[in-house]
Amino acid sequence: MTSTLPSSFSSAASAAKAPQPSAANAAPDVAPLPVSLRIRERLDAAAIPYLANDNIAEHLLEGELDQLEIEVAGKVRDLLRSLVVDIDNDHNTEETAERVARMYLHEVFKGRYHHQPKIASFPNVKKLDEIYTVGPISVRSACSHHLVPILGNCWIGIKPGDRVIGLSKFSRVADWVFSRPHIQEEAVMILADEIERLCEPQGLAILVKAQHYCMKWRGVKEPQTSMVNSVVRGDFRHDPSLKAEFFELVKQQESLLST
Ligand SMILES: [Zn+2]
């Protein structure tokens, strides 16, 4: 089949790309804005924060995540070139840019770009009010400062309120919250906010123990150091014996791990 394009098409097209300052009537050659810029302008106009550990899923239009993947891959390609990696000839890094873009947007930072997993809550019909803990729940994040992994465990203590959620749902919401660039102190607060929103407990306690690869892999290179922090709210905050019971239950769950 012969082409329907005129034979002069390719040369005409390349000529059109060249700057033509004298062509006063020609339409201005305006490149479309990068999708990330369009999104940032929209968020700025609506005064919506988009810090590294914010979720922006509900502000993305249909198709923009796919466009972001293409844009980010291009920038990672530029990063590799700036690091003087011959991505055109190195078979190992040939498609690294595309892999990294997918990994950031759909895996390790999916908690920024994807909606919270659907989590149904149920009325606490039996009026349960004894505390329970769930853990360890694996948490995986990356530090906002270096974008290297933070890996650890989390324990969640609940004194139920009017609504309850299934145990596995704590893992799902923790995974979604931690899959963003973070500092550990803020990650725990954001997780606490989400759990309070989901099941409105009378008391909530969260403990996170994590290893930070910006301390293990680089910097001071301390392989054993971990960071432990916690947040206690509601009855766990007001009642010291309840708080002590939470930490005791976590200790018991940890001892189960070594048996
Ligand atoms: Zn760091």
Side-chain angles (χ1 to χ4, degrees), residues 137-201:
I137 293 168
S138 305
V139 289
R140 291 161 293 270
S141 188
C143 79
S144 280
H145 304 136
H146 301 91
L147 300 186
V148 297
I150 299 172
L151 303 176
N153 287 318
C154 162
W155 285 262
I156 298 171
I158 297 280
K159 184 177 179 194
D162 289 336
R163 302 198 69 80
V164 291
I165 59 172
L167 285 190
S168 65
K169 303 299 187 281
F170 292 106
S171 296
R172 293 201 192 285
V173 68
D175 183 48
W176 178 71
V177 166
F178 274 81
S179 297
R180 307 170 193 178
H182 269 299
I183 64 165
Q184 188 173 324
E185 302 91 314
E186 291 180 11
V188 176
M189 303 294 282
I190 295 172
L191 178 58
D193 292 343
E194 292 295 343
I195 292 174
E196 283 196 317
R197 207 176 47 75
L198 285 167
C199 61
E200 299 164 21

Side-chain angles (χ1 to χ4, degrees), residues 202-223:
Q202 290 184 63
L204 171 65
I206 301 178
L207 175 75
V208 172
K209 299 184 179 185
Q211 300 215 318
H212 291 238
Y213 278 68
C214 51
M215 280 191 73
K216 284 167 74 88
W217 185 37
R218 56 159 300 284
V220 292
K221 296 180 184 156
E222 281 291 354

Side-chain angles (χ1 to χ4, degrees), residues 63-110:
E64 282 186 336
L65 199 49
D66 292 337
Q67 295 168 34
L68 268 180
E69 196 178 315
I70 294 167
E71 183 185 323
V72 172
K75 301 292 184 187
V76 177
R77 220 172 283 125
D78 286 346
L79 171 67
L80 288 165
R81 288 198 177 107
S82 293
L83 289 168
V84 200
V85 176
D86 183 2
I87 54 176
D88 299 317
N89 292 298
D90 177 5
H91 55 285
N92 292 323
T93 54
E94 219 173 13
E95 291 176 28
T96 295
E98 287 76 12
R99 281 188 211 100
V100 170
R102 278 197 301 276
M103 177 185 76
Y104 280 155
L105 293 167
H106 303 299
E107 295 180 280
V108 298
F109 298 154
K110 66 176 182 234

